C-alpha cells in the first residue's frame, strides 16, 4: 500500500468517525434533552449543530473523492 493510499484510507476512517460521532451525539442529546424538558429552540440548535457535522463529513468525503480522482488521471 502506497503512502497516498494510506493517507486516503486514514481520511476515510476520519470521515466515518465524524459521521458516527455526530449521529451518536445527536441521538444522545435529543434523548437527554427530551427527558430534561429542554425547549424546542435549544433542541433545534443541537439539530443545526448535527447538520453542520454531517455537512462537514460530506465535505471530507468530497475531498477524498477529488484527491482519488486526481491521482488516477
Amino acid at each position: 500500500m502506497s503512502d497516498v493510499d494510506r493517507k486516503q484510507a486514514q481520511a476515510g476512517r476520519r470521515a466515518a468517525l465524524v459521521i458516527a460521532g455526530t449521529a451518536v451525539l445527536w441521538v444522545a442529546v435529543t434523548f437527554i434533552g427530551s427527558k430534561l424538558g429542554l425547549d424546542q429552540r435549544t433542541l433545534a440548535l443541537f439539530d443545526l449543530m448535527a447538520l453542520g457535522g454531517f455537512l462537514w463529513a460530506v465535505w471530507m468525503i468530497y475531498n477524498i473523492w477529488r484527491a482519488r480522482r486526481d491521482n488516477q488521471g
Side-chain angles (χ1 to χ4, degrees):
M1 182 182 269
S2 71
D3 191 44
V4 173
D5 291 337
R6 191 164 304 150
K7 286 184 180 184
Q8 287 179 348
Q10 186 179 22
R13 284 191 295 272
R14 194 176 311 119
L17 286 173
V18 169
I19 292 170
T22 300
V24 167
L25 288 174
W26 183 36
V27 169
V29 166
T30 302
F31 179 75
I32 293 169
S34 66
K35 294 295 182 189
L36 293 177
L38 294 178
D39 61 339
Q40 292 299 314
R41 286 183 78 171
T42 306
L43 293 175
L45 175 65
F46 287 115
D47 289 344
L48 287 175
M49 290 169 52
L51 182 62
F54 288 128
L55 288 175
W56 182 38
V58 168
W59 180 253
M60 292 170 68
I61 292 168
Y62 172 73
N63 285 330
I64 294 167
W65 172 77
R66 193 174 63 183
R68 187 168 295 188
R69 190 181 66 162
D70 290 344
N71 287 338
Q72 290 178 356

